[in-house]
Amino acid sequence: MAYLDQRTNLATATVVNEGIAWRETYGTRSAAAFLAHRAIPRAVIQRVVNSGELRRATISPRRARAAGNNT
């Protein structure tokens, strides 16, 4: 993936990780704005915003029980 700016992959990954934490704290719209303000590519922003829904969908009931979420 070619980056439009001169940041290193590590710097971009750090900002994306901050965006994921931001999404978990402040919500998806706020995280999208956070990442857009830091010039993260739109495709990456979409993956970050949608990744919360994907993670919740992939947790198996067995794994949830093991974590102590007996519902």
Side-chain angles (χ1 to χ4, degrees), residues 15-27:
V15 172
V16 170
N17 285 337
E18 290 173 359
I20 292 169
W22 194 275
R23 185 200 69 226
E24 293 170 356
T25 304
Y26 301 108

Side-chain angles (χ1 to χ4, degrees), residues 50-69:
N50 295 329
S51 68
E53 296 165 6
L54 294 174
R55 281 196 200 129
R56 279 186 235 115
T58 58
I59 295 176
S60 69
R62 183 176 185 183
R63 192 173 203 183
R65 283 193 308 266
N69 298 332

Side-chain angles (χ1 to χ4, degrees), residues 1-20 22 30-49:
M1 181 159 100
Y3 290 98
L4 299 176
D5 59 10
Q6 298 299 317
R7 280 188 293 216
T8 65
N9 289 339
L10 179 60
T12 301
T14 301
V15 172
V16 170
N17 285 337
E18 290 173 359
I20 292 169
W22 194 275
S30 183
F34 172 86
L35 293 169
H37 181 70
R38 283 153 183 81
I40 298 299
R42 184 180 181 106
V44 175
I45 294 171
Q46 288 176 335
R47 285 195 301 264
V48 168
V49 168

